[in-house]
Amino acid sequence: MLIYYRRNMPTRQISLVRNIDWVTIAIYLLLVIAGWFCIYGAVYHFEDASFWDFSYRYGKQLVWIGCSVVIASVLLMLDSRLYNVFAYAIYAAMLALLLVTIFVAPEIKGSRSWLVLGPVSLQPAEFAKTATCLALAKFMSTYGFKMSRLSDVIKVCLIIVVPMLMIILQNETGSALVYVSLFLVLYREGLPGIILFLGFFLAVIFIVSIRFGEIPILASIPDESYGIFLVMLISFAVQILFLLIFEKERKTALYVGAFDFVVLLISYLVHKIFHLDFKFTYVGYIIMGITFLYLAFVAFQKRIYSYLWIGLFAIASVGISNMSDMAFDKLKPHQQTRIRVTLGMENDPQKAGYNVNQSKIAIGSGGVTGKGFLNGTQTKLKYVPEQDTDFIFCTVGEEHGFLGSLVVMVLFLVLMLRLIFLAERQRSLFSRIYGYCVASIIFFHVAVNIGMVIGLTPVIGIPLPFFSYGGSSLWGFTILLFIFLRLDASRTEYFG
């Protein structure tokens, strides 16, 4: 046995080197190096020109990068089967660490998410992403798992939601929201598209309810919310889309759409012509009730009970709208203000909107080609807070302009497309699911972070992968990525 192992060891090492996806590693190195130069540009002082000054963040980041290279090398050398075998154990250990963090971590900027280990501070939430991805891939690749089975779906949701709740208890809402991206993996593995469709419209209803909830429909009816009325219109549109897209029922969709439109039009004309002040939301409730009864009748007549769920969605949307207001009220004042500023409900350039406002100025001042490396005035004069962590992308925009920003976004896009390509070529279900988890998490981070910096999404404080300063972030993404590269390198060896 030992002789066989020694004889075959060189062959396996050669095979491993040949099978490693060097394209992804090259993209990873480009992003890490570009990220370090951006950190250097954001922190650089004219009187301190040394790259190796470890009293500054660019010096410390070199240490994190060196450690990341070691971590990546170790992960590639380990037997790929270990990640599958110990997936649940790693997940359980990370849950325990997250729980401990809630009670022992010191409060830093309002959150208890950092464990201080001597001179080093680590954020367990960054490593919990990898553990959750491994556990999710392990469970969904188990023999007998079916996405159509409700009990299996509930267990999958628990795997995702439990670490989310623990991170929320640490007051790190932004890091917790990252786990929502894992539901994209469920869609790839058989979750009905109608669920994502519903989830999208629920998010739209939440935004509409908050954005227009305090605006009256008409000046003559000041106590009636325009937000609720818009939610009703959206729910009517969703019913018609459901019938057209998922049920292929043009005739039923025409009846429902025509009825909704005609009743609303008549109500508006009656109000305008006869000056009758009545609540349009009451008209909406009547339309919903009649539409639901009609769809229920069709459902039982044709024995197609999805019609019933379509009708129930319309009714539930109003309740969800009211719950959105309640949920928004439960947020902390600074979180509410950030959302209000993002949605254009408030203009607070000196407080809640200061970071985003300064970030836009920095990016806009870069123009097409940028001001040049180390020549950014907004970054040099420290106008943008957190410019080397959460707002690192504004340094890219100011110093390298639109073209530099485009290059960075293209690199991230190529990385995500490459990960999807690698995931699709896996022979192991475990590896494929894990690969999609990696791609989903990186996509969420990139989309939300860049959207946050340019004012398209609320400021929730999540790093830009491989760019933002910090050992926990860089190590977390390195571990997440290189475990998948190790699984991909052994795709021809194992099929479990």
Side-chain angles (χ1 to χ4, degrees):
M1 181 73 177
L2 183 59
I3 295 174
Y4 174 82
Y5 178 81
R6 286 178 175 172
R7 285 178 178 175
N8 284 272
M9 189 61 188
T11 304
R12 290 193 60 190
Q13 288 177 341
I14 293 171
S15 177
L16 174 62
V17 172
R18 185 175 63 248
N19 289 334
I20 289 175
D21 187 64
W22 294 103
V23 173
T24 303
I25 292 179
I27 297 171
Y28 164 82
L29 291 174
L30 284 174
L31 289 171
V32 170
I33 293 169
W36 182 83
F37 276 104
C38 287
I39 294 171
Y40 184 80
V43 182
Y44 169 81
H45 292 275
F46 292 104
E47 65 274 12
D48 302 313
S50 174
F51 286 174
W52 315 104
D53 191 338
F54 297 109
S55 62
Y56 289 103
R57 284 189 166 183
Y58 53 77
K60 295 176 183 177
Q61 189 71 3
L62 282 177
V63 177
W64 306 138
I65 292 172
C67 293
S68 295
V69 172
V70 175
I71 291 171
S73 302
V74 171
L75 291 173
L76 289 176
M77 288 189 290
L78 291 175
D79 192 322
S80 61
R81 288 172 292 188
L82 293 174
Y83 303 119
N84 192 331
V85 172
F86 292 102
Y88 289 148
I90 295 171
Y91 179 72
M94 284 308 307
L95 289 183
L97 187 59
L98 288 175
L99 184 62
V100 169
T101 302
I102 298 172
F103 299 102
V104 304
E107 186 171 332
I108 301 175
K109 296 182 180 180
S111 68
R112 294 181 175 273
S113 59
W114 292 86
L115 291 178
V116 180
L117 307 173
V120 179
S121 296
L122 293 177
Q123 190 176 23
E126 292 294 335
F127 305 100
K129 298 169 192 173
T130 301
T132 305
C133 293
L134 288 172
L136 191 64
K138 174 75 172 179
F139 180 73
M140 293 179 66
S141 62
T142 304
Y143 178 77
F145 171 84
K146 291 183 179 179
M147 189 60 71
S148 58
R149 186 182 297 133
L150 181 60
S151 60
D152 285 348
V153 173
I154 291 174
K155 292 174 183 176
V156 164
C157 291
L158 285 175
I159 291 173
I160 297 173
V161 170
V162 170
M164 280 183 66
L165 294 176
M166 289 187 176
I167 295 171
I168 289 173
L169 290 175
Q170 298 173 7
N171 202 20
E172 277 288 341
T173 308
S175 297
L177 288 176
V178 174
Y179 289 79
V180 175
S181 64
L182 294 178
F183 285 96
L184 295 174
V185 182
L186 306 188
Y187 174 68
R188 168 60 183 85
E189 297 304 320
L191 187 71
I194 192 171
I195 303 298
L196 285 183
F197 195 69
L198 282 172
F200 170 76
F201 277 104
L202 289 178
V204 171
I205 287 171
F206 178 80
I207 294 171
V208 168
S209 300
I210 295 171
R211 176 64 180 83
F212 301 100
E214 299 174 1
I215 301 175
I217 295 179
L218 298 170
S220 59
I221 317 176
D223 60 336
E224 190 171 14
S225 171
Y226 184 49
I228 293 291
F229 186 68
L230 280 178
V231 167
M232 288 183 177
L233 293 180
I234 292 171
S235 68
F236 296 152
V238 169
Q239 288 182 78
I240 296 169
L241 287 173
F242 276 169
L243 291 169
L244 287 174
I245 297 173
F246 294 101
E247 302 299 337
K248 311 297 183 184
E249 281 285 347
R250 296 182 180 179
K251 188 176 180 181
T252 306
L254 178 63
Y255 287 159
V256 171
F259 174 75
D260 295 346
F261 175 77
V262 169
V263 173
L264 286 174
L265 179 62
I266 291 174
S267 302
Y268 180 75
L269 292 175
V270 168
H271 171 77
K272 278 294 185 181
I273 296 172
F274 297 102
H275 304 289
L276 296 177
D277 291 337
F278 55 86
K279 292 199 171 187
F280 281 90
T281 49
Y282 289 169
V283 176
Y285 293 146
I286 294 171
I287 294 174
M288 283 185 174
I290 295 174
T291 303
F292 172 73
L293 292 174
Y294 171 71
L295 291 174
F297 171 75
V298 174
F300 288 106
Q301 183 187 46
K302 296 185 176 182
R303 298 183 183 277
I304 305 176
Y305 298 107
S306 54
Y307 287 99
L308 194 61
W309 295 111
I310 294 172
L312 285 172
F313 170 80
I315 295 174
S317 61
V318 177
I320 292 169
S321 177
N322 292 324
M323 290 173 63
S324 298
D325 293 333
M326 294 172 60
F328 184 73
D329 291 337
K330 294 293 183 182
L331 294 176
K332 294 186 176 180
H334 72 277
Q335 294 172 329
Q336 293 183 12
T337 304
R338 286 176 180 176
I339 294 175
R340 287 177 178 275
V341 170
T342 303
L343 296 179
M345 300 168 67
E346 291 183 13
N347 185 20
D348 190 9
Q350 297 302 319
K351 294 182 180 179
Y354 179 79
N355 288 21
V356 175
N357 188 48
Q358 294 299 322
S359 176
K360 288 179 180 179
I361 293 173
I363 293 173
S365 66
V368 177
T369 58
K371 297 176 179 178
F373 183 54
L374 303 181
N375 292 324
T377 54
Q378 292 292 113
T379 51
K380 290 296 165 295
L381 298 176
K382 310 299 180 186
Y383 282 112
V384 185
E386 309 295 339
Q387 62 189 17
D388 56 352
T389 53
D390 297 341
F391 283 81
I392 188 71
F393 190 73
C394 74
T395 305
V396 179
E398 184 180 24
E399 294 191 348
H400 307 287
F402 172 77
L403 294 178
S405 301
L406 183 62
V407 169
V408 171
M409 289 190 288
V410 168
L411 274 176
F412 276 116
L413 178 61
V414 172
L415 174 63
M416 289 182 282
L417 292 176
R418 186 67 183 177
L419 290 174
I420 292 172
F421 168 75
L422 296 182
E424 284 297 332
R425 77 179 184 181
Q426 300 306 305
R427 301 182 182 183
S428 162
L429 184 58
F430 173 84
S431 301
R432 186 182 75 193
I433 295 170
Y434 182 81
Y436 270 99
C437 289
V438 177
S440 298
I441 287 177
I442 292 178
F443 166 75
F444 186 91
H445 269 271
V446 172
V448 173
N449 181 276
I450 295 178
M452 177 181 75
V453 169
I454 61 179
L456 293 180
T457 60
V459 178
I460 61 174
I462 63 173
L464 185 64
F466 314 118
F467 268 72
S468 296
Y469 167 80
S472 294
S473 172
L474 181 58
W475 291 358
F477 282 114
T478 299
I479 293 170
L480 185 72
L481 178 62
F482 276 83
I483 286 178
F484 179 53
L485 292 181
R486 181 62 185 91
L487 292 171
D488 175 69
S490 62
R491 65 188 180 278
T492 59
E493 298 177 25
Y494 315 115
F495 303 91

